Amino acid sequence: EADIYQTPRYLVIGTGKKITLECSQTMGHDKMYWYQQDPGMELHLIHYSYGVNSTEKGDLSSESTVSRIRTEHFPLTLESARPSHTSQYLCASSEYSASQETQYFGPGTRLLVL
Amino acid sequence: QKEVEQNSGPLSVPEGAIASLNCTYSDRVSQSFFWYRQYSGKSPELIMSIYSNGDKEDGRFTAQLNKASQYVSLLIRDSQPSDSATYLCAVRTGGFKTIFGAGTRLFVKA
């Protein structure tokens, strides 16, 4: 079982504010992911990273940015929050393996932008 | 056609019954298959992984994989109300991407 942490768990913020959602894992996993999920809806991949200094945009267009300076840390930043960013943000990590890769999820951050 | 398809449900079964959840995928060279459980408002939790054709059992859960038919299923025996959740099928494709289905909502009636 992976140890993966997200902070804050809940965030209410006003429009236009800059926010950073934190994600860290202690398993030394190379790959990390950010997903966005609205209530009752499917997961959408917004960013991923294969390792330090490697980041890629996912399938869902997002106004957020990410960085991967350390293996264990993969923060997501919104420069200017908008009500359309209200959602749940899930971070995941996995060991890199060509054939067998299992993603483990953090507890998520629920974001409400007023 | 979506890469991973699941019936959105809801699937309703009585307590003690067998719940059968199904998933189809489009990439023929997919290699790894996963079932996650997600309670309302929570994050997905891995419950089963399967890599070879056939059945894999873990407690009350059995995953079944048929690569020729591009079909993977999850059976939950002796269903309990605590099994009520959304079950996500995930497939690691030949392109080394993990694709999640939209999930099937399961209700187990006491």
PDB file of all heavy atoms in Angstrom, chain A residues 31 35 37 42-43 59 88 90 97-103 105-107 110, chain B residues 2 31-32 34 36 38 41-44 46 51 88 92 96-98 100 102:
ATOM      1  N   LYS A  31       6.485   7.672 -11.125  1.00  0.00           N
ATOM      2  CA  LYS A  31       5.389   8.301 -11.859  1.00  0.00           C
ATOM      3  C   LYS A  31       4.354   8.897 -10.904  1.00  0.00           C
ATOM      4  O   LYS A  31       3.987   8.262  -9.919  1.00  0.00           O
ATOM      5  CB  LYS A  31       4.726   7.300 -12.797  1.00  0.00           C
ATOM      6  CG  LYS A  31       5.663   6.770 -13.877  1.00  0.00           C
ATOM      7  CD  LYS A  31       4.974   5.805 -14.815  1.00  0.00           C
ATOM      8  CE  LYS A  31       4.116   6.511 -15.821  1.00  0.00           C
ATOM      9  NZ  LYS A  31       3.577   5.582 -16.846  1.00  0.00           N
ATOM     10  N   TYR A  35      -5.424  14.064 -11.287  1.00  0.00           N
ATOM     11  CA  TYR A  35      -6.716  13.876 -11.927  1.00  0.00           C
ATOM     12  C   TYR A  35      -7.703  14.904 -11.375  1.00  0.00           C
ATOM     13  O   TYR A  35      -7.613  15.323 -10.228  1.00  0.00           O
ATOM     14  CB  TYR A  35      -7.289  12.489 -11.639  1.00  0.00           C
ATOM     15  CG  TYR A  35      -6.533  11.336 -12.260  1.00  0.00           C
ATOM     16  CD1 TYR A  35      -5.478  10.730 -11.588  1.00  0.00           C
ATOM     17  CD2 TYR A  35      -6.891  10.852 -13.516  1.00  0.00           C
ATOM     18  CE1 TYR A  35      -4.788   9.658 -12.156  1.00  0.00           C
ATOM     19  CE2 TYR A  35      -6.210   9.778 -14.087  1.00  0.00           C
ATOM     20  CZ  TYR A  35      -5.166   9.192 -13.397  1.00  0.00           C
ATOM     21  OH  TYR A  35      -4.496   8.145 -13.964  1.00  0.00           O
ATOM     22  N   GLN A  37     -11.891  15.320 -10.872  1.00  0.00           N
ATOM     23  CA  GLN A  37     -13.115  14.521 -10.869  1.00  0.00           C
ATOM     24  C   GLN A  37     -14.244  15.318 -10.255  1.00  0.00           C
ATOM     25  O   GLN A  37     -14.188  15.706  -9.086  1.00  0.00           O
ATOM     26  CB  GLN A  37     -12.923  13.216 -10.090  1.00  0.00           C
ATOM     27  CG  GLN A  37     -14.130  12.292 -10.184  1.00  0.00           C
ATOM     28  CD  GLN A  37     -13.948  11.009  -9.390  1.00  0.00           C
ATOM     29  OE1 GLN A  37     -13.353  11.030  -8.324  1.00  0.00           O
ATOM     30  NE2 GLN A  37     -14.450   9.897  -9.915  1.00  0.00           N
ATOM     31  N   GLU A  42     -16.492  10.850 -14.183  1.00  0.00           N
ATOM     32  CA  GLU A  42     -15.274  10.067 -14.342  1.00  0.00           C
ATOM     33  C   GLU A  42     -14.022  10.889 -14.035  1.00  0.00           C
ATOM     34  O   GLU A  42     -14.049  12.101 -13.964  1.00  0.00           O
ATOM     35  CB  GLU A  42     -15.198   9.499 -15.759  1.00  0.00           C
ATOM     36  CG  GLU A  42     -15.218  10.544 -16.855  1.00  0.00           C
ATOM     37  CD  GLU A  42     -15.466   9.891 -18.206  1.00  0.00           C
ATOM     38  OE1 GLU A  42     -14.556   9.195 -18.689  1.00  0.00           O
ATOM     39  OE2 GLU A  42     -16.551  10.100 -18.766  1.00  0.00           O
ATOM     40  N   LEU A  43     -12.926  10.168 -13.859  1.00  0.00           N
ATOM     41  CA  LEU A  43     -11.619  10.787 -13.658  1.00  0.00           C
ATOM     42  C   LEU A  43     -11.108  11.359 -14.976  1.00  0.00           C
ATOM     43  O   LEU A  43     -11.214  10.734 -16.022  1.00  0.00           O
ATOM     44  CB  LEU A  43     -10.617   9.730 -13.189  1.00  0.00           C
ATOM     45  CG  LEU A  43     -10.801   9.136 -11.803  1.00  0.00           C
ATOM     46  CD1 LEU A  43      -9.979   7.865 -11.682  1.00  0.00           C
ATOM     47  CD2 LEU A  43     -10.415  10.128 -10.745  1.00  0.00           C
ATOM     48  N   ASP A  59      -5.007  14.374 -20.714  1.00  0.00           N
ATOM     49  CA  ASP A  59      -6.030  14.369 -21.757  1.00  0.00           C
ATOM     50  C   ASP A  59      -6.996  15.542 -21.631  1.00  0.00           C
ATOM     51  O   ASP A  59      -7.596  15.948 -22.615  1.00  0.00           O
ATOM     52  CB  ASP A  59      -6.805  13.060 -21.704  1.00  0.00           C
ATOM     53  CG  ASP A  59      -5.880  11.869 -21.873  1.00  0.00           C
ATOM     54  OD1 ASP A  59      -4.943  11.964 -22.691  1.00  0.00           O
ATOM     55  OD2 ASP A  59      -6.088  10.857 -21.186  1.00  0.00           O
ATOM     56  N   GLN A  88     -12.963  18.079  -7.423  1.00  0.00           N
ATOM     57  CA  GLN A  88     -12.066  17.325  -6.568  1.00  0.00           C
ATOM     58  C   GLN A  88     -10.802  17.020  -7.374  1.00  0.00           C
ATOM     59  O   GLN A  88     -10.888  16.584  -8.530  1.00  0.00           O
ATOM     60  CB  GLN A  88     -12.701  16.023  -6.084  1.00  0.00           C
ATOM     61  CG  GLN A  88     -11.718  15.173  -5.271  1.00  0.00           C
ATOM     62  CD  GLN A  88     -12.353  14.072  -4.461  1.00  0.00           C
ATOM     63  OE1 GLN A  88     -12.329  14.095  -3.238  1.00  0.00           O
ATOM     64  NE2 GLN A  88     -12.929  13.109  -5.136  1.00  0.00           N
ATOM     65  N   LEU A  90      -7.390  14.761  -7.481  1.00  0.00           N
ATOM     66  CA  LEU A  90      -6.805  13.534  -6.959  1.00  0.00           C
ATOM     67  C   LEU A  90      -5.394  13.372  -7.480  1.00  0.00           C
ATOM     68  O   LEU A  90      -5.154  13.468  -8.688  1.00  0.00           O
ATOM     69  CB  LEU A  90      -7.645  12.326  -7.374  1.00  0.00           C
ATOM     70  CG  LEU A  90      -9.045  12.255  -6.771  1.00  0.00           C
ATOM     71  CD1 LEU A  90      -9.893  11.247  -7.519  1.00  0.00           C
ATOM     72  CD2 LEU A  90      -8.982  11.890  -5.304  1.00  0.00           C
ATOM     73  N   SER A  97       6.945   0.619 -14.453  1.00  0.00           N
ATOM     74  CA  SER A  97       7.189  -0.725 -14.948  1.00  0.00           C
ATOM     75  C   SER A  97       6.465  -0.845 -16.263  1.00  0.00           C
ATOM     76  O   SER A  97       5.306  -0.448 -16.360  1.00  0.00           O
ATOM     77  CB  SER A  97       6.678  -1.761 -13.951  1.00  0.00           C
ATOM     78  OG  SER A  97       6.708  -3.045 -14.519  1.00  0.00           O
ATOM     79  N   ALA A  98       7.106  -1.393 -17.261  1.00  0.00           N
ATOM     80  CA  ALA A  98       6.504  -1.400 -18.592  1.00  0.00           C
ATOM     81  C   ALA A  98       5.223  -2.208 -18.632  1.00  0.00           C
ATOM     82  O   ALA A  98       4.261  -1.829 -19.269  1.00  0.00           O
ATOM     83  CB  ALA A  98       7.498  -1.947 -19.610  1.00  0.00           C
ATOM     84  N   SER A  99       5.194  -3.322 -17.919  1.00  0.00           N
ATOM     85  CA  SER A  99       4.034  -4.196 -18.070  1.00  0.00           C
ATOM     86  C   SER A  99       3.103  -4.186 -16.877  1.00  0.00           C
ATOM     87  O   SER A  99       1.921  -4.463 -17.021  1.00  0.00           O
ATOM     88  CB  SER A  99       4.500  -5.631 -18.328  1.00  0.00           C
ATOM     89  OG  SER A  99       5.278  -6.079 -17.237  1.00  0.00           O
ATOM     90  N   GLN A 100       3.635  -3.905 -15.717  1.00  0.00           N
ATOM     91  CA  GLN A 100       2.789  -3.959 -14.538  1.00  0.00           C
ATOM     92  C   GLN A 100       2.941  -2.679 -13.745  1.00  0.00           C
ATOM     93  O   GLN A 100       3.971  -2.448 -13.121  1.00  0.00           O
ATOM     94  CB  GLN A 100       3.151  -5.171 -13.679  1.00  0.00           C
ATOM     95  CG  GLN A 100       2.868  -6.482 -14.376  1.00  0.00           C
ATOM     96  CD  GLN A 100       3.114  -7.675 -13.485  1.00  0.00           C
ATOM     97  OE1 GLN A 100       3.435  -7.512 -12.323  1.00  0.00           O
ATOM     98  NE2 GLN A 100       2.978  -8.863 -14.033  1.00  0.00           N
ATOM     99  N   GLU A 101       1.913  -1.868 -13.807  1.00  0.00           N
ATOM    100  CA  GLU A 101       1.950  -0.588 -13.110  1.00  0.00           C
ATOM    101  C   GLU A 101       0.633  -0.412 -12.382  1.00  0.00           C
ATOM    102  O   GLU A 101      -0.427  -0.533 -12.991  1.00  0.00           O
ATOM    103  CB  GLU A 101       2.157   0.557 -14.098  1.00  0.00           C
ATOM    104  CG  GLU A 101       2.116   1.928 -13.443  1.00  0.00           C
ATOM    105  CD  GLU A 101       1.893   3.054 -14.430  1.00  0.00           C
ATOM    106  OE1 GLU A 101       1.543   2.754 -15.578  1.00  0.00           O
ATOM    107  OE2 GLU A 101       2.068   4.221 -14.052  1.00  0.00           O
ATOM    108  N   THR A 102       0.696  -0.138 -11.098  1.00  0.00           N
ATOM    109  CA  THR A 102      -0.511   0.067 -10.311  1.00  0.00           C
ATOM    110  C   THR A 102      -0.477   1.471  -9.738  1.00  0.00           C
ATOM    111  O   THR A 102       0.499   1.862  -9.107  1.00  0.00           O
ATOM    112  CB  THR A 102      -0.600  -0.957  -9.170  1.00  0.00           C
ATOM    113  OG1 THR A 102      -0.548  -2.271  -9.726  1.00  0.00           O
ATOM    114  CG2 THR A 102      -1.880  -0.763  -8.397  1.00  0.00           C
ATOM    115  N   GLN A 103      -1.560   2.212  -9.956  1.00  0.00           N
ATOM    116  CA  GLN A 103      -1.652   3.559  -9.417  1.00  0.00           C
ATOM    117  C   GLN A 103      -2.324   3.530  -8.059  1.00  0.00           C
ATOM    118  O   GLN A 103      -3.325   2.849  -7.864  1.00  0.00           O
ATOM    119  CB  GLN A 103      -2.453   4.457 -10.371  1.00  0.00           C
ATOM    120  CG  GLN A 103      -1.755   4.705 -11.694  1.00  0.00           C
ATOM    121  CD  GLN A 103      -2.428   5.775 -12.524  1.00  0.00           C
ATOM    122  OE1 GLN A 103      -3.142   6.639 -12.007  1.00  0.00           O
ATOM    123  NE2 GLN A 103      -2.205   5.733 -13.833  1.00  0.00           N
ATOM    124  N   PHE A 105      -3.879   6.152  -5.066  1.00  0.00           N
ATOM    125  CA  PHE A 105      -4.412   7.498  -4.976  1.00  0.00           C
ATOM    126  C   PHE A 105      -4.264   8.092  -3.584  1.00  0.00           C
ATOM    127  O   PHE A 105      -4.369   7.398  -2.572  1.00  0.00           O
ATOM    128  CB  PHE A 105      -5.902   7.502  -5.351  1.00  0.00           C
ATOM    129  CG  PHE A 105      -6.138   7.326  -6.819  1.00  0.00           C
ATOM    130  CD1 PHE A 105      -6.165   6.070  -7.393  1.00  0.00           C
ATOM    131  CD2 PHE A 105      -6.323   8.430  -7.632  1.00  0.00           C
ATOM    132  CE1 PHE A 105      -6.362   5.906  -8.757  1.00  0.00           C
ATOM    133  CE2 PHE A 105      -6.536   8.287  -8.993  1.00  0.00           C
ATOM    134  CZ  PHE A 105      -6.556   7.020  -9.546  1.00  0.00           C
ATOM    135  N   GLY A 106      -4.065   9.392  -3.566  1.00  0.00           N
ATOM    136  CA  GLY A 106      -4.145  10.133  -2.322  1.00  0.00           C
ATOM    137  C   GLY A 106      -5.592  10.388  -1.954  1.00  0.00           C
ATOM    138  O   GLY A 106      -6.506  10.042  -2.712  1.00  0.00           O
ATOM    139  N   PRO A 107      -5.837  11.020  -0.805  1.00  0.00           N
ATOM    140  CA  PRO A 107      -7.206  11.225  -0.332  1.00  0.00           C
ATOM    141  C   PRO A 107      -7.972  12.306  -1.079  1.00  0.00           C
ATOM    142  O   PRO A 107      -9.194  12.393  -0.949  1.00  0.00           O
ATOM    143  CB  PRO A 107      -7.009  11.620   1.131  1.00  0.00           C
ATOM    144  CG  PRO A 107      -5.655  12.231   1.169  1.00  0.00           C
ATOM    145  CD  PRO A 107      -4.839  11.456   0.171  1.00  0.00           C
ATOM    146  N   ARG A 110     -10.684  18.740  -2.109  1.00  0.00           N
ATOM    147  CA  ARG A 110     -11.948  19.313  -2.618  1.00  0.00           C
ATOM    148  C   ARG A 110     -11.782  20.828  -2.660  1.00  0.00           C
ATOM    149  O   ARG A 110     -11.549  21.448  -1.622  1.00  0.00           O
ATOM    150  CB  ARG A 110     -13.113  18.934  -1.719  1.00  0.00           C
ATOM    151  CG  ARG A 110     -13.523  17.503  -1.831  1.00  0.00           C
ATOM    152  CD  ARG A 110     -14.867  17.258  -1.164  1.00  0.00           C
ATOM    153  NE  ARG A 110     -15.381  15.959  -1.501  1.00  0.00           N
ATOM    154  CZ  ARG A 110     -16.109  15.711  -2.577  1.00  0.00           C
ATOM    155  NH1 ARG A 110     -16.404  16.688  -3.413  1.00  0.00           N
ATOM    156  NH2 ARG A 110     -16.539  14.505  -2.820  1.00  0.00           N
TER     157      ARG A 110
ATOM    158  N   LYS B   2     -15.282   4.695 -26.610  1.00  0.00           N
ATOM    159  CA  LYS B   2     -14.352   4.947 -25.524  1.00  0.00           C
ATOM    160  C   LYS B   2     -13.364   3.809 -25.414  1.00  0.00           C
ATOM    161  O   LYS B   2     -13.663   2.663 -25.739  1.00  0.00           O
ATOM    162  CB  LYS B   2     -15.124   5.097 -24.220  1.00  0.00           C
ATOM    163  CG  LYS B   2     -15.921   6.383 -24.130  1.00  0.00           C
ATOM    164  CD  LYS B   2     -16.500   6.554 -22.741  1.00  0.00           C
ATOM    165  CE  LYS B   2     -17.195   7.892 -22.598  1.00  0.00           C
ATOM    166  NZ  LYS B   2     -17.734   8.101 -21.237  1.00  0.00           N
ATOM    167  N   GLN B  31      -2.264  -4.798 -21.339  1.00  0.00           N
ATOM    168  CA  GLN B  31      -1.529  -5.810 -20.593  1.00  0.00           C
ATOM    169  C   GLN B  31      -1.967  -5.971 -19.151  1.00  0.00           C
ATOM    170  O   GLN B  31      -1.809  -7.030 -18.561  1.00  0.00           O
ATOM    171  CB  GLN B  31      -0.043  -5.441 -20.606  1.00  0.00           C
ATOM    172  CG  GLN B  31       0.544  -5.356 -21.993  1.00  0.00           C
ATOM    173  CD  GLN B  31       1.987  -4.862 -21.975  1.00  0.00           C
ATOM    174  OE1 GLN B  31       2.515  -4.528 -20.934  1.00  0.00           O
ATOM    175  NE2 GLN B  31       2.596  -4.826 -23.135  1.00  0.00           N
ATOM    176  N   SER B  32      -2.447  -4.901 -18.550  1.00  0.00           N
ATOM    177  CA  SER B  32      -2.758  -4.947 -17.122  1.00  0.00           C
ATOM    178  C   SER B  32      -4.146  -4.361 -16.899  1.00  0.00           C
ATOM    179  O   SER B  32      -4.524  -3.390 -17.563  1.00  0.00           O
ATOM    180  CB  SER B  32      -1.737  -4.129 -16.319  1.00  0.00           C
ATOM    181  OG  SER B  32      -0.418  -4.522 -16.623  1.00  0.00           O
ATOM    182  N   PHE B  34      -7.258  -3.452 -13.862  1.00  0.00           N
ATOM    183  CA  PHE B  34      -7.427  -3.142 -12.450  1.00  0.00           C
ATOM    184  C   PHE B  34      -8.895  -2.819 -12.161  1.00  0.00           C
ATOM    185  O   PHE B  34      -9.601  -2.272 -13.004  1.00  0.00           O
ATOM    186  CB  PHE B  34      -6.586  -1.915 -12.064  1.00  0.00           C
ATOM    187  CG  PHE B  34      -5.137  -2.022 -12.483  1.00  0.00           C
ATOM    188  CD1 PHE B  34      -4.728  -1.575 -13.731  1.00  0.00           C
ATOM    189  CD2 PHE B  34      -4.200  -2.581 -11.641  1.00  0.00           C
ATOM    190  CE1 PHE B  34      -3.409  -1.680 -14.127  1.00  0.00           C
ATOM    191  CE2 PHE B  34      -2.871  -2.689 -12.028  1.00  0.00           C
ATOM    192  CZ  PHE B  34      -2.472  -2.240 -13.270  1.00  0.00           C
ATOM    193  N   TYR B  36     -10.944  -0.672  -9.197  1.00  0.00           N
ATOM    194  CA  TYR B  36     -10.888   0.231  -8.055  1.00  0.00           C
ATOM    195  C   TYR B  36     -12.309   0.411  -7.512  1.00  0.00           C
ATOM    196  O   TYR B  36     -13.283   0.422  -8.263  1.00  0.00           O
ATOM    197  CB  TYR B  36     -10.354   1.612  -8.470  1.00  0.00           C
ATOM    198  CG  TYR B  36      -8.882   1.676  -8.789  1.00  0.00           C
ATOM    199  CD1 TYR B  36      -8.391   1.271 -10.032  1.00  0.00           C
ATOM    200  CD2 TYR B  36      -7.958   2.139  -7.849  1.00  0.00           C
ATOM    201  CE1 TYR B  36      -7.039   1.344 -10.335  1.00  0.00           C
ATOM    202  CE2 TYR B  36      -6.605   2.221  -8.136  1.00  0.00           C
ATOM    203  CZ  TYR B  36      -6.154   1.820  -9.381  1.00  0.00           C
ATOM    204  OH  TYR B  36      -4.810   1.893  -9.673  1.00  0.00           O
ATOM    205  N   GLN B  38     -14.621   3.139  -5.331  1.00  0.00           N
ATOM    206  CA  GLN B  38     -14.633   4.535  -4.909  1.00  0.00           C
ATOM    207  C   GLN B  38     -15.938   4.825  -4.187  1.00  0.00           C
ATOM    208  O   GLN B  38     -17.013   4.808  -4.791  1.00  0.00           O
ATOM    209  CB  GLN B  38     -14.459   5.481  -6.105  1.00  0.00           C
ATOM    210  CG  GLN B  38     -14.320   6.943  -5.700  1.00  0.00           C
ATOM    211  CD  GLN B  38     -14.023   7.878  -6.855  1.00  0.00           C
ATOM    212  OE1 GLN B  38     -14.335   7.589  -8.002  1.00  0.00           O
ATOM    213  NE2 GLN B  38     -13.396   9.008  -6.553  1.00  0.00           N
ATOM    214  N   GLY B  41     -17.433  10.676  -2.519  1.00  0.00           N
ATOM    215  CA  GLY B  41     -16.630  11.709  -1.891  1.00  0.00           C
ATOM    216  C   GLY B  41     -15.221  11.281  -1.509  1.00  0.00           C
ATOM    217  O   GLY B  41     -14.463  12.085  -0.965  1.00  0.00           O
ATOM    218  N   LYS B  42     -14.870  10.019  -1.789  1.00  0.00           N
ATOM    219  CA  LYS B  42     -13.550   9.511  -1.432  1.00  0.00           C
ATOM    220  C   LYS B  42     -12.718   9.271  -2.690  1.00  0.00           C
ATOM    221  O   LYS B  42     -13.207   9.398  -3.809  1.00  0.00           O
ATOM    222  CB  LYS B  42     -13.686   8.214  -0.636  1.00  0.00           C
ATOM    223  CG  LYS B  42     -14.506   8.349   0.623  1.00  0.00           C
ATOM    224  CD  LYS B  42     -13.861   9.271   1.629  1.00  0.00           C
ATOM    225  CE  LYS B  42     -14.619   9.301   2.941  1.00  0.00           C
ATOM    226  NZ  LYS B  42     -13.995  10.257   3.908  1.00  0.00           N
ATOM    227  N   SER B  43     -11.457   8.896  -2.498  1.00  0.00           N
ATOM    228  CA  SER B  43     -10.594   8.606  -3.639  1.00  0.00           C
ATOM    229  C   SER B  43     -10.662   7.120  -3.991  1.00  0.00           C
ATOM    230  O   SER B  43     -11.051   6.295  -3.166  1.00  0.00           O
ATOM    231  CB  SER B  43      -9.157   9.022  -3.326  1.00  0.00           C
ATOM    232  OG  SER B  43      -8.663   8.306  -2.227  1.00  0.00           O
ATOM    233  N   PRO B  44     -10.308   6.757  -5.229  1.00  0.00           N
ATOM    234  CA  PRO B  44     -10.341   5.343  -5.627  1.00  0.00           C
ATOM    235  C   PRO B  44      -9.358   4.503  -4.814  1.00  0.00           C
ATOM    236  O   PRO B  44      -8.249   4.933  -4.509  1.00  0.00           O
ATOM    237  CB  PRO B  44      -9.935   5.389  -7.097  1.00  0.00           C
ATOM    238  CG  PRO B  44     -10.243   6.779  -7.540  1.00  0.00           C
ATOM    239  CD  PRO B  44      -9.971   7.640  -6.348  1.00  0.00           C
ATOM    240  N   LEU B  46      -7.615   0.626  -4.771  1.00  0.00           N
ATOM    241  CA  LEU B  46      -7.384  -0.578  -5.561  1.00  0.00           C
ATOM    242  C   LEU B  46      -7.897  -1.806  -4.826  1.00  0.00           C
ATOM    243  O   LEU B  46      -7.585  -2.008  -3.651  1.00  0.00           O
ATOM    244  CB  LEU B  46      -5.887  -0.748  -5.834  1.00  0.00           C
ATOM    245  CG  LEU B  46      -5.500  -1.977  -6.626  1.00  0.00           C
ATOM    246  CD1 LEU B  46      -5.936  -1.825  -8.082  1.00  0.00           C
ATOM    247  CD2 LEU B  46      -3.988  -2.225  -6.548  1.00  0.00           C
ATOM    248  N   TYR B  51      -3.599  -9.845 -14.748  1.00  0.00           N
ATOM    249  CA  TYR B  51      -2.708  -9.679 -15.893  1.00  0.00           C
ATOM    250  C   TYR B  51      -2.830 -10.811 -16.913  1.00  0.00           C
ATOM    251  O   TYR B  51      -2.460 -10.662 -18.069  1.00  0.00           O
ATOM    252  CB  TYR B  51      -1.251  -9.596 -15.426  1.00  0.00           C
ATOM    253  CG  TYR B  51      -1.034  -8.557 -14.349  1.00  0.00           C
ATOM    254  CD1 TYR B  51      -0.814  -8.951 -13.036  1.00  0.00           C
ATOM    255  CD2 TYR B  51      -1.051  -7.208 -14.649  1.00  0.00           C
ATOM    256  CE1 TYR B  51      -0.614  -7.997 -12.044  1.00  0.00           C
ATOM    257  CE2 TYR B  51      -0.861  -6.256 -13.663  1.00  0.00           C
ATOM    258  CZ  TYR B  51      -0.646  -6.660 -12.357  1.00  0.00           C
ATOM    259  OH  TYR B  51      -0.465  -5.725 -11.377  1.00  0.00           O
ATOM    260  N   LEU B  88     -14.526   1.300 -10.544  1.00  0.00           N
ATOM    261  CA  LEU B  88     -13.832   1.788 -11.728  1.00  0.00           C
ATOM    262  C   LEU B  88     -12.969   0.679 -12.319  1.00  0.00           C
ATOM    263  O   LEU B  88     -12.183   0.052 -11.597  1.00  0.00           O
ATOM    264  CB  LEU B  88     -12.927   2.969 -11.381  1.00  0.00           C
ATOM    265  CG  LEU B  88     -13.563   4.161 -10.668  1.00  0.00           C
ATOM    266  CD1 LEU B  88     -12.497   5.194 -10.315  1.00  0.00           C
ATOM    267  CD2 LEU B  88     -14.622   4.795 -11.541  1.00  0.00           C
ATOM    268  N   ARG B  92      -4.280  -0.776 -18.518  1.00  0.00           N
ATOM    269  CA  ARG B  92      -2.990  -0.249 -18.960  1.00  0.00           C
ATOM    270  C   ARG B  92      -2.800  -0.715 -20.400  1.00  0.00           C
ATOM    271  O   ARG B  92      -2.678  -1.914 -20.676  1.00  0.00           O
ATOM    272  CB  ARG B  92      -1.876  -0.770 -18.077  1.00  0.00           C
ATOM    273  CG  ARG B  92      -0.497  -0.230 -18.449  1.00  0.00           C
ATOM    274  CD  ARG B  92       0.466  -0.331 -17.295  1.00  0.00           C
ATOM    275  NE  ARG B  92       1.844  -0.095 -17.641  1.00  0.00           N
ATOM    276  CZ  ARG B  92       2.374   1.090 -17.898  1.00  0.00           C
ATOM    277  NH1 ARG B  92       1.630   2.165 -17.878  1.00  0.00           N
ATOM    278  NH2 ARG B  92       3.650   1.210 -18.174  1.00  0.00           N
ATOM    279  N   PHE B  96       1.252   2.044 -22.842  1.00  0.00           N
ATOM    280  CA  PHE B  96       1.706   2.281 -21.471  1.00  0.00           C
ATOM    281  C   PHE B  96       0.974   3.439 -20.807  1.00  0.00           C
ATOM    282  O   PHE B  96       1.544   4.149 -19.996  1.00  0.00           O
ATOM    283  CB  PHE B  96       3.214   2.478 -21.407  1.00  0.00           C
ATOM    284  CG  PHE B  96       3.978   1.343 -22.016  1.00  0.00           C
ATOM    285  CD1 PHE B  96       4.973   1.566 -22.948  1.00  0.00           C
ATOM    286  CD2 PHE B  96       3.688   0.027 -21.692  1.00  0.00           C
ATOM    287  CE1 PHE B  96       5.665   0.519 -23.525  1.00  0.00           C
ATOM    288  CE2 PHE B  96       4.366  -1.032 -22.264  1.00  0.00           C
ATOM    289  CZ  PHE B  96       5.370  -0.780 -23.186  1.00  0.00           C
ATOM    290  N   LYS B  97      -0.283   3.627 -21.189  1.00  0.00           N
ATOM    291  CA  LYS B  97      -1.128   4.600 -20.501  1.00  0.00           C
ATOM    292  C   LYS B  97      -2.187   3.833 -19.726  1.00  0.00           C
ATOM    293  O   LYS B  97      -2.665   2.779 -20.180  1.00  0.00           O
ATOM    294  CB  LYS B  97      -1.833   5.515 -21.509  1.00  0.00           C
ATOM    295  CG  LYS B  97      -0.938   6.494 -22.222  1.00  0.00           C
ATOM    296  CD  LYS B  97      -1.719   7.277 -23.256  1.00  0.00           C
ATOM    297  CE  LYS B  97      -2.823   8.097 -22.632  1.00  0.00           C
ATOM    298  NZ  LYS B  97      -3.528   8.949 -23.640  1.00  0.00           N
ATOM    299  N   THR B  98      -2.545   4.333 -18.568  1.00  0.00           N
ATOM    300  CA  THR B  98      -3.635   3.721 -17.811  1.00  0.00           C
ATOM    301  C   THR B  98      -4.882   4.537 -18.049  1.00  0.00           C
ATOM    302  O   THR B  98      -4.911   5.742 -17.760  1.00  0.00           O
ATOM    303  CB  THR B  98      -3.298   3.662 -16.318  1.00  0.00           C
ATOM    304  OG1 THR B  98      -2.134   2.847 -16.138  1.00  0.00           O
ATOM    305  CG2 THR B  98      -4.452   3.050 -15.534  1.00  0.00           C
ATOM    306  N   PHE B 100      -8.950   4.951 -17.341  1.00  0.00           N
ATOM    307  CA  PHE B 100     -10.018   4.600 -16.405  1.00  0.00           C
ATOM    308  C   PHE B 100     -11.368   4.668 -17.106  1.00  0.00           C
ATOM    309  O   PHE B 100     -11.634   5.585 -17.894  1.00  0.00           O
ATOM    310  CB  PHE B 100     -10.037   5.569 -15.224  1.00  0.00           C
ATOM    311  CG  PHE B 100      -8.931   5.342 -14.244  1.00  0.00           C
ATOM    312  CD1 PHE B 100      -7.670   5.896 -14.443  1.00  0.00           C
ATOM    313  CD2 PHE B 100      -9.137   4.560 -13.117  1.00  0.00           C
ATOM    314  CE1 PHE B 100      -6.644   5.673 -13.554  1.00  0.00           C
ATOM    315  CE2 PHE B 100      -8.110   4.338 -12.217  1.00  0.00           C
ATOM    316  CZ  PHE B 100      -6.869   4.893 -12.431  1.00  0.00           C
ATOM    317  N   ALA B 102     -15.587   5.055 -16.767  1.00  0.00           N
ATOM    318  CA  ALA B 102     -16.400   6.042 -16.046  1.00  0.00           C
ATOM    319  C   ALA B 102     -16.971   5.473 -14.755  1.00  0.00           C
ATOM    320  O   ALA B 102     -17.457   6.232 -13.911  1.00  0.00           O
ATOM    321  CB  ALA B 102     -17.511   6.556 -16.936  1.00  0.00           C
TER     322      ALA B 102
END
